[in-house]
Amino acid sequence: MQRTEVTAIIVAAKLKKCLKWADIAKKIGLSKEWTTAALMGQMTLDKKQATTIGKLLGLPPEAVDALQIVPYKGSLPSAIPTDPLIYRFYELINVYGTSIKALIHEEFGDGIMSAIDFSMDIQRETDPKGDRVKIVLNGKFLPYKTY
Amino acid sequence: MQRTEVTAIIVAAKLKKCLKWADIAKKIGLSKEWTTAALMGQMTLDKKQATTIGKLLGLPPEAVDALQIVPYKGSLPSAIPTDPLIYRFYELINVYGTSIKALIHEEFGDGIMSAIDFSMDIQRETDPKGDRVKIVLNGKFLPYKTY
Amino acid sequence: MQRTEVTAIIVAAKLKKCLKWADIAKKIGLSKEWTTAALMGQMTLDKKQATTIGKLLGLPPEAVDALQIVPYKGSLPSAIPTDPLIYRFYELINVYGTSIKALIHEEFGDGIMSAIDFSMDIQRETDPKGDRVKIVLNGKFLPYKTY
Amino acid sequence: MQRTEVTAIIVAAKLKKCLKWADIAKKIGLSKEWTTAALMGQMTLDKKQATTIGKLLGLPPEAVDALQIVPYKGSLPSAIPTDPLIYRFYELINVYGTSIKALIHEEFGDGIMSAIDFSMDIQRETDPKGDRVKIVLNGKFLPYKTY
Amino acid sequence: MQRTEVTAIIVAAKLKKCLKWADIAKKIGLSKEWTTAALMGQMTLDKKQATTIGKLLGLPPEAVDALQIVPYKGSLPSAIPTDPLIYRFYELINVYGTSIKALIHEEFGDGIMSAIDFSMDIQRETDPKGDRVKIVLNGKFLPYKTY
Amino acid sequence: MQRTEVTAIIVAAKLKKCLKWADIAKKIGLSKEWTTAALMGQMTLDKKQATTIGKLLGLPPEAVDALQIVPYKGSLPSAIPTDPLIYRFYELINVYGTSIKALIHEEFGDGIMSAIDFSMDIQRETDPKGDRVKIVLNGKFLPYKTY
Amino acid sequence: MQRTEVTAIIVAAKLKKCLKWADIAKKIGLSKEWTTAALMGQMTLDKKQATTIGKLLGLPPEAVDALQIVPYKGSLPSAIPTDPLIYRFYELINVYGTSIKALIHEEFGDGIMSAIDFSMDIQRETDPKGDRVKIVLNGKFLPYKTY
Amino acid sequence: MQRTEVTAIIVAAKLKKCLKWADIAKKIGLSKEWTTAALMGQMTLDKKQATTIGKLLGLPPEAVDALQIVPYKGSLPSAIPTDPLIYRFYELINVYGTSIKALIHEEFGDGIMSAIDFSMDIQRETDPKGDRVKIVLNGKFLPYKTY
Amino acid sequence: MQRTEVTAIIVAAKLKKCLKWADIAKKIGLSKEWTTAALMGQMTLDKKQATTIGKLLGLPPEAVDALQIVPYKGSLPSAIPTDPLIYRFYELINVYGTSIKALIHEEFGDGIMSAIDFSMDIQRETDPKGDRVKIVLNGKFLPYKTY
Amino acid sequence: MQRTEVTAIIVAAKLKKCLKWADIAKKIGLSKEWTTAALMGQMTLDKKQATTIGKLLGLPPEAVDALQIVPYKGSLPSAIPTDPLIYRFYELINVYGTSIKALIHEEFGDGIMSAIDFSMDIQRETDPKGDRVKIVLNGKFLPYKTY
């Protein structure tokens, strides 16, 4: 069973059972961000987590198996995303990318922000002029090794 | 004078004068993130801001003029960035994009996080296991209008 | 059920029942432009709208469900459209893009015309030399925030 | 003299002389939209128009000549525009393209909206919730010929 | 029923019935060029034409319906065609494109040759050194409108 | 001296001397189509032709030399042309390509229309409803060799 | 029946019957190179050849029919081949392309080596340091026609 | 001095001195094919070869130096060549690639024809129906190592 | 049976039988690296190896056959890999490619490291600061032949 | 001064002074691999290292400054490298990428091999059948964080 099929089954089951991503995340004791990414086919569950999710959503055994295999990552159908919500993030990198690079290097020197030792938090920020989306990206700084 | 030339002059002058982006930003009373983006050729300064920056960095008058024209935005030389620091952000969108979409839609309904009515804050977070980069993205939620 | 399948069912049902897009739009009290976009898989219906459309076109329940999920937007099969009618709009952006940018910035300053807080109106304009298509694009101006 | 150089000279001269696109357009009795496109290197001026513009902006004779040669059109540096303002129009085509196609075909039959026998009008629409950009596209419908 | 499926059925039926494109075209009183394009999924038939073709080739009713819907045009699987016969035409545009542009503009001024108000005629030209393909392209000149 | 520079010099000289492509072609006794292609950097002149053109247009000796070297052909800056006049031809291939292929194969069998043993003729066709561009493509049919 | 399906059936049948390409080629009296290309979906068989191959490999009648239709040529799944054996040929063109061009033009003048009036021969050349692949490409020189 | 500049100087000098590639090759005792590739910027000369060529063509010392540095190979300006002569070879790979692969594997097993331990020979083959280009590619077969 | 289907069956069977790649490799007496590549559809097994693997994993006979056919190689779905683990290797080539080239050429002269007469070894290297992946690439140096 | 210009000056100076990369590396006490990457414009030197290199190679002061700025990384002119030596590494990723992924995940679980906390060692391995290139890649394993 392909991981994309597992994702489709999960999305349909979640809809039918009127569950929120945060509800599912709570069952395995992890954040809604990581859990959503895992169920969207980007992260790997351990046996216990997969079984719990499998029961909650009524997944077939092969789907439970598939959730425990490390997936070929990348969730977008094209190099430059066409979906407006996702494109805005691509645009931010295009507009702000060299600035982020300049500021991180000024503060930390040569290296990168890890996308692996990384966490993300998405919150609603209420605002009288219109509520806002607040996303916190938090990644370990990894300096380039000299040798 | 092309905006890319202005950026090159600014980067060289900043280096020679040993200024930090935050130092420059303070002079015009704005954040280091917005100011860096502006000087990297992505935002537009008003006359007073451009003059202040011009004096601080010793820019020629045409450069001061150019800073006040709205630039053709986009700071990266290729659609998929080759620089490892910037690529990590592209990778985050590729891996987490559909999850961010799912979580924002669940919370707010159909719409996007604005990349225009938007601010960003980059901070160092000290950590005994290695300091971390913390980036807060903050954008107004814009619901799709029905008509 | 994939949204593209829902679109295919809708197009077939509409054909069989000899309905016009404007007829369908009237049933949910919205414009023909927004309604067509929604049924083409680009917008999200609420429960009442989806049920109304479902009855009108005789859609299966999963299709009615699917219409209420925010879709992954983007309706074209390639980055540069091959269809002559749609390509003409791409060409207009290519030829007029920098002019539109110059004129909007001159009038409003740095910022964009929203594609979210946006409406569109398509009309036939009769003309003795051959009727014309008149399309009105109407989007809120969003100024770049400084911070 | 390359047309792109002519454009650069024009933009610099316009800035120095504090002229608006509409001011320049008035001198040759045409709309600000067509005039801007012409001066941005996309349309062709006749001798009289070119001379008028040349005097107004103090252009060198080769630039005045160049304005009368039909240019190789296309004003964007990449197939998918990176500039946020221009990208929003690309996004509109991506999201609404199949809907525009469906509605025009329903109204007119098989054919296209001309991008040549075409005019455009850009206006500010005041609105208490934030002013809006209103763009009217007006193109002759051209039916596919059968033969 | 997708238009590509209709095309496949038509090609198979034509083969089985040993019909030539010109034979089919005669039945609906149009040229072999337009008719082939229509049956290849690029043009739209009216009810009478579709019914005639349907009877001639023994098409199922959904195929007859589908022939009356304006198709999403573009018949090639890649932006640069791999098929040698079709590539030669792409090569002609690449080699002769700027010359065709120069000659048409010299004769007609700024504008284009319409690809909509257009007809094509393909003939064999006998030649003792080897027969030749003669293709006549005939399109209305459309001048750029000034406004 | 690069061939593109030679082309630029030729275009400028032609403009200054108010010559038409057909005038230049007559001087070397060839068609306006072939001559324009040669001067646009796509064909190779022999010594006599190059000298004649050189005198007529006042070209420097290196330009006359360069016209006699077989050029690296291809006159367009991008794989899919952005110029509307040239794009229309690309569109014709996209829409009609498979039909042209079907009709030539039906008439001649497997093979191609040569783009080398090829000539082209561009004419104005007067028409009360608006003059038309008539382009005749004439290429030898080359059958695929079996061996 | 799609030509790619026919190819798949042929490859499977050939494997089961332990036939070599050269064995099959002998049955229709043609070279192994042309025959392989034909059965790989790139050339067109006549009725007799197709029937012979059909019997030899036990193909279904529709496959025998399909072999007689001129295929849409191009046997590679991507513009730059990923398979190392095929890529080496692409690399040879990239490294040697301009040299081949220079040498052919020096010998023959402006024109091309035909890829249609063309044959190819692939042989093993024994060599004590390791056997070698020897491929002879043989194509008619086609001079550019002047007109 | 960039290798592409060296190539330009060589091509100009060769033209002025009316030398053929084969003449130059003889001076260093190598084939015209390898020598042309080297002078086109794709191979590396040793000191003696570079000095000989330098004297013959009157190259500046930096050019003689540059000929001895291993170049970044690849002589074509785009992934799919636009020049008709070079494109024909690309087409041959596209049409015959899978057949060449099948025939080499059948003869030699899994592996490739080396593009490094490789030689090429280009000859004119006289033919009453029109002379032909004969190109012999000769590369060592390299079997995939198992380990 | 397509090779990609064979790979899918193998991956599923391996999972069900809780085998490691190294376990499977031992059965055919080869390295885990080569064996994995073969079962991932990139290398060719001989009859004995294929039969052994077939028994071990319970493969259907057509899969055992398919493993003995040389595959069309290339295991990634896009030219630039989206999977973070695989992308890191692409990044290494992008960042270090010109350095690897400089160092190999300095040591060996013009030529390449073979990717065919090649072996690879992947090991865990324990490290108190976090275990490391150690990959040894070992390929024969192939000098460019002069001729 | 652009980093690419600095690289060009360094390569020229190194050639003139007959230095090896390893000689230069010794002066700053680092490996030849890291040093070459730094001088090729991919790593950042500290003040002392830059000054040492500057003296050794006789670099202008702006070049010494530039070596201390973190560069925009990526040393290849195209997404898929055309140079045969560098392409072989791209090919290895394409052929072995999914196998490397499978073996690392089997050994370490979900995560990546760091390309930042990374070192590389390139050595000649003498071999009677032809010397070999041995490249050791050594990167820290970074497990995906769950949160």
Side-chain angles (χ1 to χ4, degrees), chain D residues 85-128:
Chain D
L85 182 138
I86 299 177
Y87 180 82
R88 293 307 178 275
F89 292 92
Y90 180 77
E91 181 178 304
L92 287 173
I93 296 176
N94 222 314
V95 169
Y96 278 104
T98 49
S99 299
I100 294 172
K101 182 174 167 69
L103 289 167
I104 292 181
H105 289 327
E106 192 166 272
E107 178 65 30
F108 291 93
D110 198 354
I112 62 156
M113 181 186 86
S114 182
I116 309 296
D117 187 339
F118 171 85
S119 67
M120 181 172 54
D121 183 56
I122 304 176
Q123 299 295 343
R124 175 193 283 262
E125 191 181 76
T126 54
D127 188 309

Side-chain angles (χ1 to χ4, degrees), chain A residues 14-15 18-25 32 36 40 85 124, chain B residues 99-111 141, chain C residues 70:
Chain A
K14 170 181 172 293
L15 191 76
C18 294
L19 289 164
K20 292 205 142 199
W21 293 110
D23 301 334
I24 302 173
K32 69 181 184 303
T36 308
M40 283 299 192
L85 182 138
R124 175 193 281 261
Chain B
S99 299
I100 294 173
K101 182 174 167 70
L103 290 166
I104 293 180
H105 289 328
E106 192 166 274
E107 178 66 29
F108 291 92
D110 198 354
F141 180 75
Chain C
V70 182

Side-chain angles (χ1 to χ4, degrees), chain A residues 75 79 90 94 132-133 138-139, chain B residues 75 79 90 94 101 132-133 138-139:
Chain A
S75 66
Y90 179 77
N94 222 314
R132 301 179 75 83
V133 183
N138 188 307
Chain B
S75 65
Y90 180 76
N94 221 316
K101 182 174 167 70
R132 301 179 75 82
V133 183
N138 188 304

Side-chain angles (χ1 to χ4, degrees), chain C residues 14 19-21 32 36 40 83-89 122 124 133 135, chain D residues 97-113 141-144, chain E residues 3 42-44 68-73 116:
Chain C
K14 170 181 172 295
L19 289 165
K20 292 206 143 199
W21 294 109
K32 68 181 182 306
T36 308
M40 283 298 192
D83 184 80
L85 183 139
I86 298 177
Y87 180 82
R88 293 306 178 276
F89 292 92
I122 303 177
R124 174 193 282 261
V133 184
I135 301 179
Chain D
T98 49
S99 299
I100 294 172
K101 182 174 167 69
L103 289 167
I104 292 181
H105 289 327
E106 192 166 272
E107 178 65 30
F108 291 93
D110 198 354
I112 62 156
M113 181 186 86
F141 179 74
L142 305 179
Y144 260 99
Chain E
R3 192 69 185 260
Q42 304 298 314
M43 299 290 166
T44 317
Q68 303 171 51
I69 304 175
V70 182
Y72 189 94
K73 296 179 168 77
I116 308 296

Side-chain angles (χ1 to χ4, degrees), chain B residues 67-92:
Chain B
L67 287 169
Q68 302 172 51
I69 304 175
V70 182
Y72 188 93
K73 296 180 168 78
S75 65
L76 303 179
S78 59
I80 299 179
T82 59
D83 183 81
L85 183 139
I86 298 177
Y87 180 81
R88 294 305 179 275
F89 292 92
Y90 180 76
E91 181 178 303
L92 288 173

